Amino acid sequence: MGVSIEPLICGHLTAGLSAFESGATDGSVTLPVPSWLIRHRLGLVLFDCGMHPDLSRDTPMRERVSRNFEVDMGPGETLHRRLADHQVDVTDIAVVVLSHLHFDHAGGLVQIPDARVVVQEAEWAAGLDDELRRGNGFRRGDYDLGHEVLTISGDHDLFGDGTVVCLSTPGHTPGHQSLRLRLDSGEVVLCADCAYFERTLAGGPLPPFGHDTAQQARSIARLIDHRRAGSRLIPGHDTTILHALPERLT
Ligand SMILES: [Zn+2]
């Protein structure tokens, strides 16, 4: 059986467009928050975990996040419930690859206590460094939960067979990574926050925040190289693209 990908949309975030694209002056945008379930013959992998389940209820955490984003995640949209929709128990997940440590990617990790976490060394170091953590807006309680953590530096072939490969795409955060999957239908790259939108890949504006925007631009160029080589690129938060995906990509 080949590798497959199932998108799990775990709620949405809405904010002014200027929060996500430098120079935007008006309008708001709603971002789907995806996790990705990858089935490989050697085990189940998640790429990103969505948001903390406390954001699905009226909690102090939700109140705090709501100062910056309108949070739309009902109890039926947590990662735990999305996995159940796909007949997967959280204990079945062997590996969680985190693209980066922002709350809408790492916050759901608390629901997957038994998995091994794979993250770039630079990202993990930033997550444990008070200054870098604050500068990047990471919440340590999202990810520093006692998981077994495998830190990697640069690209990393998860199963050693070329089907699931972490691609180092820093810039949005110090150790951001994307994930390349080799499906029977061809190669797919899950860009995560290296490119929020399809138009980001076409030279559109980057967010007004970010660890190193010049580095992010170089990482986008790297993703474009993969597109030129035939990969399908899936941006991290593009409503039109994410909502049009089939239930399963093979
Ligand atoms: Zn991010």
Side-chain angles (χ1 to χ4, degrees):
M1 192 183 78
V3 172
S4 67
I5 311 171
E6 289 153 64
L8 312 174
I9 303 298
C10 301
H12 293 78
L13 292 170
T14 299
L17 185 56
S18 60
F20 303 109
E21 291 189 326
S22 279
T25 52
D26 57 18
S28 68
V29 63
T30 294
L31 311 187
V33 177
S35 169
W36 304 87
L37 173 64
I38 295 141
R39 296 183 196 259
H40 184 280
R41 65 184 171 79
L42 295 181
L44 299 183
V45 176
L46 281 178
F47 182 52
D48 286 340
C49 292
M51 298 183 278
H52 196 287
D54 280 1
L55 293 177
S56 70
R57 300 185 297 272
D58 195 11
T59 58
M61 185 191 286
R62 184 172 173 123
E63 200 263 308
R64 199 169 55 245
V65 172
S66 297
R67 289 176 207 152
N68 295 314
F69 303 98
E70 185 184 315
V71 180
D72 177 14
M73 178 174 66
E77 296 177 292
T78 63
L79 178 60
H80 183 274
R81 291 286 293 275
R82 287 295 189 226
L83 286 168
D85 291 344
H86 288 242
Q87 289 77 51
V88 172
D89 189 89
V90 293
T91 58
D92 297 336
I93 304 294
V95 177
V96 171
V97 177
L98 292 177
S99 65
H100 65 302
L101 298 179
H102 280 154
F103 78 100
D104 55 327
H105 296 259
L109 183 62
V110 68
Q111 298 163 96
I112 318 288
D114 302 327
R116 168 192 264 205
V117 173
V118 177
V119 63
Q120 290 285 328
E121 166 67 33
E123 189 74 3
W124 193 247
L128 301 182
D129 177 277
D130 282 344
E131 195 175 324
L132 284 169
R133 180 176 57 75
R134 276 195 291 273
N136 284 285
F138 300 153
R139 197 185 75 88
R140 191 163 178 160
D142 281 341
Y143 50 82
D144 190 13
L145 302 171
H147 290 78
E148 180 190 350
V149 176
L150 173 66
T151 56
I152 57 177
S153 293
D155 295 353
H156 176 76
D157 184 344
L158 210 58
F159 293 108
D161 62 1
T163 59
V164 184
V165 178
C166 300
L167 300 179
S168 172
T169 49
H172 177 70
T173 56
H176 186 280
Q177 59 185 348
S178 304
L179 194 70
R180 193 191 76 203
L181 291 313
R182 185 176 294 153
L183 308 182
D184 288 346
S185 60
E187 290 195 346
V188 171
V189 177
L190 303 174
C191 303
D193 284 4
C194 186
Y196 283 150
F197 310 116
E198 179 58 38
R199 60 180 179 267
T200 322
L201 292 163
L206 298 180
F209 64 94
H211 176 67
D212 183 336
T213 47
Q215 190 181 45
Q216 185 174 359
R218 290 193 294 277
S219 290
I220 290 171
R222 187 174 187 219
L223 294 176
I224 296 297
D225 284 344
H226 280 272
R227 174 179 275 173
R228 289 204 184 97
S231 292
R232 175 182 183 185
L233 304 185
I234 299 181
H237 290 291
D238 190 307
T239 295
T240 307
I241 289 181
L242 295 183
H243 282 290
L245 290 174
E247 202 167 307
R248 192 170 198 193
L249 291 86
T250 56

mmCIF file of all heavy atoms in Angstrom, residues 41-64:
data_model
loop_
_atom_site.group_PDB
_atom_site.id
_atom_site.type_symbol
_atom_site.label_atom_id
_atom_site.label_comp_id
_atom_site.label_asym_id
_atom_site.label_seq_id
_atom_site.Cartn_x
_atom_site.Cartn_y
_atom_site.Cartn_z
ATOM 1 N N ARG A 41 3.063 2.365 5.637
ATOM 2 C CA ARG A 41 2.939 0.967 6.073
ATOM 3 C C ARG A 41 3.645 0.725 7.405
ATOM 4 O O ARG A 41 3.327 -0.215 8.129
ATOM 5 C CB ARG A 41 3.459 0.013 4.982
ATOM 6 C CG ARG A 41 4.921 0.143 4.715
ATOM 7 C CD ARG A 41 5.400 -0.737 3.563
ATOM 8 N NE ARG A 41 6.772 -0.423 3.222
ATOM 9 C CZ ARG A 41 7.827 -0.857 3.906
ATOM 10 N NH1 ARG A 41 7.666 -1.662 4.923
ATOM 11 N NH2 ARG A 41 9.043 -0.495 3.544
ATOM 12 N N LEU A 42 4.594 1.586 7.763
ATOM 13 C CA LEU A 42 5.302 1.404 9.033
ATOM 14 C C LEU A 42 4.671 2.174 10.192
ATOM 15 O O LEU A 42 5.137 2.087 11.321
ATOM 16 C CB LEU A 42 6.772 1.814 8.885
ATOM 17 C CG LEU A 42 7.608 0.951 7.931
ATOM 18 C CD1 LEU A 42 9.050 1.446 7.882
ATOM 19 C CD2 LEU A 42 7.577 -0.517 8.366
ATOM 20 N N GLY A 43 3.613 2.949 9.904
ATOM 21 C CA GLY A 43 2.961 3.648 11.011
ATOM 22 C C GLY A 43 2.217 4.886 10.565
ATOM 23 O O GLY A 43 2.347 5.336 9.421
ATOM 24 N N LEU A 44 1.437 5.425 11.504
ATOM 25 C CA LEU A 44 0.674 6.638 11.229
ATOM 26 C C LEU A 44 1.456 7.856 11.710
ATOM 27 O O LEU A 44 2.031 7.847 12.804
ATOM 28 C CB LEU A 44 -0.676 6.612 11.953
ATOM 29 C CG LEU A 44 -1.637 5.476 11.582
ATOM 30 C CD1 LEU A 44 -2.954 5.657 12.341
ATOM 31 C CD2 LEU A 44 -1.885 5.443 10.089
ATOM 32 N N VAL A 45 1.440 8.876 10.875
ATOM 33 C CA VAL A 45 2.180 10.106 11.165
ATOM 34 C C VAL A 45 1.204 11.269 11.104
ATOM 35 O O VAL A 45 0.312 11.300 10.246
ATOM 36 C CB VAL A 45 3.291 10.333 10.102
ATOM 37 C CG1 VAL A 45 4.010 11.661 10.329
ATOM 38 C CG2 VAL A 45 4.282 9.177 10.105
ATOM 39 N N LEU A 46 1.365 12.215 12.007
ATOM 40 C CA LEU A 46 0.637 13.480 11.882
ATOM 41 C C LEU A 46 1.636 14.564 11.527
ATOM 42 O O LEU A 46 2.743 14.604 12.080
ATOM 43 C CB LEU A 46 -0.033 13.870 13.204
ATOM 44 C CG LEU A 46 -1.324 13.191 13.582
ATOM 45 C CD1 LEU A 46 -1.780 13.710 14.952
ATOM 46 C CD2 LEU A 46 -2.414 13.437 12.545
ATOM 47 N N PHE A 47 1.249 15.421 10.605
ATOM 48 C CA PHE A 47 2.015 16.630 10.343
ATOM 49 C C PHE A 47 1.191 17.783 10.907
ATOM 50 O O PHE A 47 0.134 18.117 10.386
ATOM 51 C CB PHE A 47 2.252 16.798 8.841
ATOM 52 C CG PHE A 47 3.084 18.025 8.488
ATOM 53 C CD1 PHE A 47 4.313 18.258 9.099
ATOM 54 C CD2 PHE A 47 2.650 18.924 7.533
ATOM 55 C CE1 PHE A 47 5.077 19.372 8.773
ATOM 56 C CE2 PHE A 47 3.410 20.036 7.189
ATOM 57 C CZ PHE A 47 4.627 20.260 7.807
ATOM 58 N N ASP A 48 1.655 18.326 11.996
ATOM 59 C CA ASP A 48 0.992 19.387 12.756
ATOM 60 C C ASP A 48 -0.262 18.874 13.471
ATOM 61 O O ASP A 48 -0.823 17.827 13.114
ATOM 62 C CB ASP A 48 0.681 20.614 11.892
ATOM 63 C CG ASP A 48 1.955 21.414 11.588
ATOM 64 O OD1 ASP A 48 2.943 21.248 12.326
ATOM 65 O OD2 ASP A 48 1.946 22.188 10.616
ATOM 66 N N CYS A 49 -0.657 19.632 14.484
ATOM 67 C CA CYS A 49 -1.687 19.142 15.416
ATOM 68 C C CYS A 49 -2.855 20.094 15.604
ATOM 69 O O CYS A 49 -3.711 19.836 16.463
ATOM 70 C CB CYS A 49 -1.053 18.909 16.785
ATOM 71 S SG CYS A 49 0.100 17.553 16.793
ATOM 72 N N GLY A 50 -2.873 21.200 14.875
ATOM 73 C CA GLY A 50 -3.963 22.144 15.109
ATOM 74 C C GLY A 50 -3.833 22.820 16.466
ATOM 75 O O GLY A 50 -2.750 22.874 17.058
ATOM 76 N N MET A 51 -4.977 23.286 16.957
ATOM 77 C CA MET A 51 -4.973 24.140 18.151
ATOM 78 C C MET A 51 -5.275 23.338 19.428
ATOM 79 O O MET A 51 -5.817 22.239 19.382
ATOM 80 C CB MET A 51 -6.022 25.237 17.982
ATOM 81 C CG MET A 51 -5.741 26.159 16.797
ATOM 82 S SD MET A 51 -6.915 27.522 16.638
ATOM 83 C CE MET A 51 -8.305 26.735 15.793
ATOM 84 N N HIS A 52 -4.942 23.950 20.549
ATOM 85 C CA HIS A 52 -5.203 23.338 21.853
ATOM 86 C C HIS A 52 -6.717 23.143 22.035
ATOM 87 O O HIS A 52 -7.504 24.040 21.716
ATOM 88 C CB HIS A 52 -4.656 24.257 22.952
ATOM 89 C CG HIS A 52 -4.518 23.595 24.278
ATOM 90 N ND1 HIS A 52 -5.610 23.281 25.070
ATOM 91 C CD2 HIS A 52 -3.426 23.155 24.947
ATOM 92 C CE1 HIS A 52 -5.181 22.699 26.181
ATOM 93 N NE2 HIS A 52 -3.857 22.605 26.134
ATOM 94 N N PRO A 53 -7.111 21.987 22.577
ATOM 95 C CA PRO A 53 -8.551 21.738 22.725
ATOM 96 C C PRO A 53 -9.254 22.745 23.642
ATOM 97 O O PRO A 53 -10.469 22.932 23.514
ATOM 98 C CB PRO A 53 -8.615 20.311 23.313
ATOM 99 C CG PRO A 53 -7.238 20.025 23.826
ATOM 100 C CD PRO A 53 -6.294 20.841 23.003
ATOM 101 N N ASP A 54 -8.499 23.419 24.516
ATOM 102 C CA ASP A 54 -9.128 24.440 25.370
ATOM 103 C C ASP A 54 -9.677 25.605 24.539
ATOM 104 O O ASP A 54 -10.506 26.374 25.035
ATOM 105 C CB ASP A 54 -8.130 24.981 26.398
ATOM 106 C CG ASP A 54 -7.973 24.044 27.590
ATOM 107 O OD1 ASP A 54 -8.623 22.980 27.597
ATOM 108 O OD2 ASP A 54 -7.191 24.373 28.497
ATOM 109 N N LEU A 55 -9.220 25.724 23.303
ATOM 110 C CA LEU A 55 -9.744 26.798 22.446
ATOM 111 C C LEU A 55 -11.113 26.443 21.862
ATOM 112 O O LEU A 55 -11.738 27.273 21.202
ATOM 113 C CB LEU A 55 -8.752 27.116 21.331
ATOM 114 C CG LEU A 55 -7.420 27.734 21.805
ATOM 115 C CD1 LEU A 55 -6.479 27.950 20.632
ATOM 116 C CD2 LEU A 55 -7.672 29.048 22.525
ATOM 117 N N SER A 56 -11.548 25.216 22.088
ATOM 118 C CA SER A 56 -12.879 24.824 21.598
ATOM 119 C C SER A 56 -13.963 25.139 22.621
ATOM 120 O O SER A 56 -15.139 24.903 22.369
ATOM 121 C CB SER A 56 -12.898 23.326 21.260
ATOM 122 O OG SER A 56 -12.817 22.549 22.453
ATOM 123 N N ARG A 57 -13.536 25.656 23.774
ATOM 124 C CA ARG A 57 -14.489 25.969 24.846
ATOM 125 C C ARG A 57 -14.229 27.381 25.350
ATOM 126 O O ARG A 57 -13.204 27.984 25.044
ATOM 127 C CB ARG A 57 -14.306 24.974 26.006
ATOM 128 C CG ARG A 57 -14.518 23.527 25.644
ATOM 129 C CD ARG A 57 -14.431 22.630 26.879
ATOM 130 N NE ARG A 57 -13.127 22.668 27.503
ATOM 131 C CZ ARG A 57 -12.111 21.886 27.178
ATOM 132 N NH1 ARG A 57 -12.252 20.984 26.235
ATOM 133 N NH2 ARG A 57 -10.945 21.987 27.797
ATOM 134 N N ASP A 58 -15.173 27.839 26.172
ATOM 135 C CA ASP A 58 -15.031 29.163 26.747
ATOM 136 C C ASP A 58 -14.037 29.090 27.908
ATOM 137 O O ASP A 58 -14.402 28.737 29.024
ATOM 138 C CB ASP A 58 -16.422 29.619 27.226
ATOM 139 C CG ASP A 58 -16.448 31.109 27.499
ATOM 140 O OD1 ASP A 58 -15.474 31.782 27.110
ATOM 141 O OD2 ASP A 58 -17.424 31.577 28.102
ATOM 142 N N THR A 59 -12.788 29.380 27.644
ATOM 143 C CA THR A 59 -11.722 29.235 28.644
ATOM 144 C C THR A 59 -10.869 30.504 28.652
ATOM 145 O O THR A 59 -10.907 31.285 27.692
ATOM 146 C CB THR A 59 -10.807 28.048 28.295
ATOM 147 O OG1 THR A 59 -10.262 28.291 26.984
ATOM 148 C CG2 THR A 59 -11.550 26.727 28.295
ATOM 149 N N PRO A 60 -10.065 30.701 29.692
ATOM 150 C CA PRO A 60 -9.149 31.849 29.695
ATOM 151 C C PRO A 60 -8.204 31.831 28.482
ATOM 152 O O PRO A 60 -7.871 32.888 27.932
ATOM 153 C CB PRO A 60 -8.368 31.673 31.007
ATOM 154 C CG PRO A 60 -9.289 30.895 31.895
ATOM 155 C CD PRO A 60 -10.052 29.975 30.979
ATOM 156 N N MET A 61 -7.792 30.626 28.043
ATOM 157 C CA MET A 61 -6.913 30.548 26.869
ATOM 158 C C MET A 61 -7.623 31.093 25.631
ATOM 159 O O MET A 61 -7.064 31.857 24.850
ATOM 160 C CB MET A 61 -6.471 29.100 26.618
ATOM 161 C CG MET A 61 -5.466 28.972 25.476
ATOM 162 S SD MET A 61 -5.177 27.266 24.974
ATOM 163 C CE MET A 61 -4.185 26.670 26.323
ATOM 164 N N ARG A 62 -8.876 30.716 25.483
ATOM 165 C CA ARG A 62 -9.626 31.195 24.322
ATOM 166 C C ARG A 62 -9.810 32.714 24.394
ATOM 167 O O ARG A 62 -9.706 33.419 23.378
ATOM 168 C CB ARG A 62 -10.988 30.493 24.263
ATOM 169 C CG ARG A 62 -11.796 30.862 23.027
ATOM 170 C CD ARG A 62 -13.041 29.992 22.931
ATOM 171 N NE ARG A 62 -13.906 30.426 21.870
ATOM 172 C CZ ARG A 62 -14.311 29.658 20.873
ATOM 173 N NH1 ARG A 62 -13.912 28.402 20.807
ATOM 174 N NH2 ARG A 62 -15.105 30.121 19.952
ATOM 175 N N GLU A 63 -10.056 33.190 25.588
ATOM 176 C CA GLU A 63 -10.228 34.632 25.752
ATOM 177 C C GLU A 63 -8.936 35.356 25.360
ATOM 178 O O GLU A 63 -8.959 36.378 24.674
ATOM 179 C CB GLU A 63 -10.612 34.908 27.211
ATOM 180 C CG GLU A 63 -11.272 36.257 27.438
ATOM 181 C CD GLU A 63 -10.286 37.297 27.905
ATOM 182 O OE1 GLU A 63 -9.585 37.000 28.884
ATOM 183 O OE2 GLU A 63 -10.206 38.380 27.308
ATOM 184 N N ARG A 64 -7.798 34.778 25.760
ATOM 185 C CA ARG A 64 -6.506 35.408 25.477
ATOM 186 C C ARG A 64 -6.226 35.417 23.965
ATOM 187 O O ARG A 64 -5.867 36.444 23.392
ATOM 188 C CB ARG A 64 -5.407 34.645 26.229
ATOM 189 C CG ARG A 64 -4.120 35.406 26.412
ATOM 190 C CD ARG A 64 -3.192 34.702 27.392
ATOM 191 N NE ARG A 64 -2.911 33.331 27.045
ATOM 192 C CZ ARG A 64 -3.277 32.272 27.764
ATOM 193 N NH1 ARG A 64 -3.956 32.435 28.872
ATOM 194 N NH2 ARG A 64 -2.971 31.054 27.359
#
